Amino acid sequence: ARNHHCSMPADSLASVVGELQGVLSKDVSNAVAQERSLLSERRRVFHRLHRQRRRRRGAAHAAAQESPPTFLVLGFVTNPRTPKTREWIRQTVLVPAAEVGAPALIRFVVGKRGLSPRDVQQLDDERRRVGKDDFAVVDASDFNEAGGIYSCIDKLFAWFRHAPVAYPGASFYAKADDDSFVDVARLASFLRPAAGLPRVYGGYLQYDSFLTEEWRHCGWSAGPVGAAHARRHGCPKERRVYGPFPFVVGALTVMGGDLGGWFASSPHVAGLVEKGRATQGRPQHWDCGYSDVTLGYALGSANLSLSLLSVSDAMRDATYGAMDATRFVVSHHLRSQQMFEREAARAKAQPAWSPLLGECEAWPAVRAEAGGASAELQAAMRTFECCQQWKLCRLGPAAK
């Protein structure tokens, strides 16, 4: 048998070979191009990540070297239904503080409990209009709940429990009412000498006693001698009374960073808040009228040693004549845009002044603070069971 072989003309064979070579060359070229593209993309990703890591390391280093934790965290207690007031504060407080680089973080404090849909919409609209979120929404009642009779005290306690956790590392945590003008840059400078004091509780001092089952006061006075007298003669003897003790008014309340940390995690404070909230809806309940006194009671009854910081000589009030400082960091009870602008202008026009921290005195040995002979004052100071391990420190403008 014969073997038969197919034969192909030479020119046809060359054509097929040429086509195969063209296809292979194209495939190889495509593969090489794809590989080069992948290598180029990998290089770009590598260099981008490397630059990002360098920027992050640089930013972290700069922050560690140049930007210590915020010195002051300040919360204005407000409610969703006062947007005009917040705008006054933004223009007279927040904008000037930002312009001079004040070492402070400022927030408007609102409660998340009891907000109506309209309240929520108001806050969202305000954030969009302002272009940033300068609110701190805390776990507290707000105005829509029972007409707001619980909201002030609820937000006061919630803010001081929230702020040290949300904004850790500050030297001071503070609260102001939203009818207060605060010169933030001057306040931060003013507080610097007190930064080394342990567990600072400060503001404009007053004194009171407290009906613990009724959540109201019974022995207010501007000074310790009067408070001791009011406790003996102004509080019902048949009821449970705690006091006398010092507290600070709502215009400005300051806590040192260490005290703020304790307050945020304290079972004593948590229990008091739980007990207070449980009274909502009862005839005798915690409410806005005694919020500052209740905070003083919470600290006084905590068996804690504090540095009580009196800043009485650096505060003004439009309705309380005793608060009439001409060199000031806070002005309280302002009711209109014109009043905020007036106080801002007064603050700006103040000549430069320096703070002066006096010697801190052991509570039982305090010298004359608010009237009364020395022996009478010392006798009164001994009636303050809360405070025998406390120290009283006075911070004010230095003499001219």
Side-chain angles (χ1 to χ4, degrees):
R2 285 184 172 180
N3 292 325
H4 298 277
H5 298 281
C6 295
S7 62
M8 179 180 291
D11 56 347
S12 297
L13 181 60
S15 175
V16 170
V17 170
E19 289 178 5
L20 288 172
Q21 287 176 337
V23 169
L24 289 172
S25 177
K26 185 177 181 180
D27 288 345
V28 169
S29 297
N30 289 339
V32 170
Q34 289 175 358
E35 185 65 24
R36 286 175 176 169
S37 177
L38 287 172
L39 287 172
S40 179
E41 179 62 25
R42 289 185 184 122
R43 289 192 189 99
R44 283 195 295 270
V45 170
F46 173 80
H47 289 303
R48 185 171 66 248
L49 292 174
H50 183 64
R51 287 193 300 270
Q52 289 175 351
R53 282 194 292 268
R54 288 183 64 183
R55 282 196 297 268
R56 283 197 294 268
R57 285 196 297 266
H61 179 74
Q65 298 299 315
E66 301 172 9
S67 302
T70 299
F71 180 74
L72 171 66
V73 176
L74 171 63
F76 284 91
V77 173
T78 184
N79 75 75
R81 303 182 185 186
T82 55
K84 289 184 178 180
T85 301
R86 286 189 291 279
E87 190 57 32
W88 304 339
I89 294 172
R90 288 189 181 101
Q91 293 304 314
T92 61
V93 177
L94 274 68
V95 169
E99 288 176 346
V100 299
L105 177 71
I106 307 170
R107 290 291 183 263
F108 292 106
V109 182
V110 296
K112 68 180 182 181
R113 299 185 180 200
L115 294 182
S116 69
R118 184 176 178 181
D119 293 332
V120 174
Q121 186 64 51
Q122 166 61 46
L123 295 177
D124 288 341
D125 291 345
E126 197 168 333
R127 290 184 182 100
R128 283 192 290 270
R129 186 176 68 253
V130 173
K132 62 180 179 179
D133 187 359
D134 52 10
F135 289 96
V137 181
V138 299
D139 184 19
S141 304
D142 215 304
F143 193 79
N144 195 51
E145 188 168 305
I149 60 175
Y150 315 127
S151 64
C152 300
I153 188 169
D154 221 14
K155 284 183 283 192
L156 170 66
F157 275 79
W159 167 245
F160 278 118
R161 298 174 75 194
H162 168 87
V165 176
Y167 319 110
S171 297
F172 291 100
Y173 296 93
K175 164 264 176 188
D177 290 341
D178 67 354
D179 60 353
S180 290
F181 165 81
V182 181
D183 186 339
V184 176
R186 187 170 268 120
L187 174 61
S189 298
F190 182 65
L191 290 172
R192 289 279 178 191
L197 297 177
R199 293 181 296 279
V200 168
Y201 170 47
Y204 191 99
L205 296 188
Q206 296 184 342
Y207 304 84
D208 216 334
S209 292
F210 196 67
L211 294 162
T212 59
E213 300 300 319
E214 301 174 36
W215 299 92
R216 62 186 180 89
H217 79 129
C218 64
W220 176 89
S221 178
V225 173
H229 183 272
R231 169 66 175 85
R232 290 193 303 271
H233 303 288
C235 294
K237 293 180 173 55
E238 69 279 6
R239 297 177 190 167
R240 295 183 63 180
V241 178
Y242 183 89
F245 55 86
F247 72 98
V248 303
V249 302
L252 179 72
T253 304
V254 177
M255 287 190 190
D258 51 356
L259 181 58
W262 172 86
F263 195 90
S265 61
S266 166
H268 168 74
V269 174
L272 183 67
V273 170
E274 182 179 6
K275 184 179 178 182
R277 286 177 174 169
T279 66
Q280 295 179 0
R282 301 176 187 172
Q284 297 174 335
H285 55 78
W286 74 342
D287 64 48
C288 287
Y290 305 111
S291 56
D292 304 315
V293 175
T294 307
L295 180 61
Y297 162 65
L299 294 172
S301 59
N303 192 28
L304 193 68
S305 177
L306 302 182
S307 299
L308 184 64
L309 187 66
S310 171
V311 298
S312 304
D313 292 335
M315 298 176 67
R316 294 173 53 82
D317 194 290
T319 60
Y320 183 56
M323 293 173 61
D324 59 355
T326 56
R327 296 179 294 170
F328 65 97
V329 295
V330 176
S331 185
H332 192 214
H333 282 136
L334 309 181
R335 306 301 190 195
S336 67
Q337 180 178 356
Q338 290 73 24
M339 294 180 76
F340 272 91
E341 291 173 347
R342 181 195 69 203
E343 295 307 297
R346 279 180 173 167
K348 189 174 182 179
Q350 291 182 84
W353 54 267
S354 300
L356 177 64
L357 178 65
E359 181 183 355
C360 295
E361 301 175 275
W363 187 267
V366 166
R367 295 181 291 274
E369 158 73 358
S374 178
E376 186 180 19
L377 176 61
Q378 290 182 1
M381 300 303 275
R382 288 193 292 270
T383 69
F384 286 73
E385 295 181 7
C386 61
C387 313
Q388 296 305 302
Q389 302 304 314
W390 292 20
K391 289 191 175 182
L392 177 62
C393 310
R394 299 182 179 92
L395 178 65
K400 296 180 181 180

